[in-house]
Amino acid sequence: MPTGAEHTHWQHAFGALRGSVAPASGDDPRNAMFRLLALLGSAAPLNELLDGLARDVETWSKGVHCTFLVVDSTRRVLQPGAAPSLPLSYIDAIGQVAIAVGQGSCGTAAALREMVFVEDVERSDLWASHAQIALSYGLRACWSAPIVDDAGTVLGTLALYFRERRAPTKADIEFIQGASSLASFVIQRHRDSARLRASEARLAAAVWGTDIGLWESASDGDHTWFDDWSERFDIEPCVGLHQERHWRDRIHPEDIHAYASASDAAVNGFADHYVAEYRILTRSGAWRWLHERGKVSARDVNGKAQRFVGVCMCVDEQKKLEAALRAAENSYELAVSAARLPVWHYDVHSDTVTGNAHWHRTVGHELTDAEVPHRVETWLSDIHPDDAERNSKLLTPDATDDTDFYQSEFRIRLPSGEYKWLLDRGRVVERSANGAPTKAVGISLDIDAQKRMEFDLRESEQRFRGAFEFAAIGMALVAPDGRWLRVNRSLCGIVGYTAEELLATDFQSITHPEDLDTDVGQMRQMLDGALSHYDMEKRYIHKDGHIVWVLLSV
């Protein structure tokens, strides 16, 4: 556990306005924190998490309206995330906000990656495009801060609106900084959880969850857990004098160096916060994995941290899942490599198909392992025009059934310009809220030889039919019981019957009685394997009654 300073980060973030503006409600700041933590521990969507945070922010200043905007997938615009106390009609009127200087307080804050304080919306050049909308709703000042993740990427913005012209005090600035830092934690945790849920779905693993422990710690050893979190997880709380030393003594020897490096960097002023994962010894003697985040809330005049606030989460299940995922991924890679399966992945929204090396070879591209990740296709890349329309409908909302599997045959153009037949077997692994497929995985099997054989067989069959039908000699296909199965024109001409008349009967009915036993006997020997073929002269009875001598070759 880290050492701390004069006020907790949580109290500091939510209480900075206390000196200048009385709280809007009688809520204890810790109650607000606990409500937010309850949301963080749930599977609530991001807008609900941000809505809960915005409502807690608004309790500290009468008349303030807190809103959040989040960066969209293009990273060019901000879209509404939460605005619990502003009319929906205002949010709709503002719509998406471009990330650019001059696009209000939020668009400018996101573009510059710094706080923007507009004291008078009516007179600000930054609000030239939206001032009249804001004023029509009685909003006259707007302060905004960018929300940035641990890697420095802008995730969104936090904005505070006021109904009077207003400039920020030092306490206001500290308040908005704390609130934006907390919003960053909320968004990053939600994003990380979403990524994990997607990985779990792909590998059919169980959903994991964890409880959060909130703590604050000071350099004088004053350490507080805000609930019984450590007790619930069988962990010694290590409160009291020398708390930090006692806590570090319980960290696994293999993890203590990384933990100490991260924590000490924050203590000594090289960072304002730290993140660490480590194993700690429980009271029962077992090792438990923890994920800890700490932030400096106060420093002394020399810049050394005096007070920290942070959270601890038990991530035992996550670590087990990561181990299971690694094992599953290793097994999967081994199976794919051994079977040389041409596996592909398709993202519907970006219309991008990626695949492994075996898949690239199947479609005619010999790539190195380093080149494989960089070559992508679209869903209809190089597909034969005659097959494109059918393939374009495979992943529409109504095209797949409840099993989410599908199969398709199509031709694809190779780099040489020739076409090859492939059989795709795929499965939808992710859908949007309205049920539309968003991601699919599958394999592409080379069936070109099979399709060419089928084509050759069809051509051979057509040639046979032509030769059979128009042969100058009588020809027929006969079943073992003597039924005519197929007759050609010459045979019909010889015996005087139409094809339909012959197919309704058998060869015995038109064979001369004196020849029938010999004919049937030899046919049975051939069926039994005693003869490979036989020839005989025999007599057929013409339809008009006269006798027709024929040379029969079977």
Side-chain angles (χ1 to χ4, degrees), residues 354-398:
T354 56
N356 64 6
H358 303 304
W359 178 77
H360 287 289
R361 293 189 189 105
T362 298
V363 296
H365 296 272
E366 291 289 340
L367 303 180
T368 65
D369 290 341
E371 293 170 332
V372 165
H374 302 291
R375 184 181 176 274
V376 299
E377 293 187 359
T378 66
W379 184 243
L380 298 178
S381 289
D382 300 324
I383 288 182
H384 195 286
D386 293 344
D387 304 328
E389 182 178 359
R390 173 168 46 81
N391 264 47
S392 68
K393 298 177 180 178
L394 286 175
L395 292 180
T396 55
D398 300 326

Side-chain angles (χ1 to χ4, degrees), residues 319-362:
K319 289 296 183 179
K320 291 177 183 177
L321 178 58
E322 288 174 355
L325 288 175
R326 285 193 297 270
E329 288 170 352
N330 290 338
S331 297
Y332 165 80
E333 292 296 336
L334 285 172
V336 168
S337 179
R340 297 181 178 273
L341 291 176
V343 179
W344 52 261
H345 297 76
Y346 177 54
D347 185 288
V348 177
H349 291 317
S350 61
D351 189 25
T352 55
V353 180
T354 56
N356 64 6
H358 303 304
W359 178 77
H360 287 289
R361 293 189 189 105
T362 298

Side-chain angles (χ1 to χ4, degrees), residues 8 11 30 214-218 222-224 226 307-309:
T8 73
Q11 289 174 323
R30 292 183 181 180
L214 176 65
W215 55 264
E216 62 177 336
S217 184
D222 179 20
H223 183 87
T224 302
F226 288 107
R307 204 163 189 85
F308 274 87
V309 65

Side-chain angles (χ1 to χ4, degrees), residues 417-450:
E418 298 178 341
Y419 280 93
K420 172 195 283 190
W421 277 98
L422 296 181
L423 169 64
D424 263 12
R425 287 177 177 161
R427 183 180 186 182
V428 175
V429 296
E430 185 178 289
R431 293 180 179 273
S432 63
N434 64 2
T438 57
K439 291 185 180 179
V441 298
I443 59 174
S444 295
L445 302 178
D446 185 344
I447 58 170
D448 196 61
Q450 173 187 334

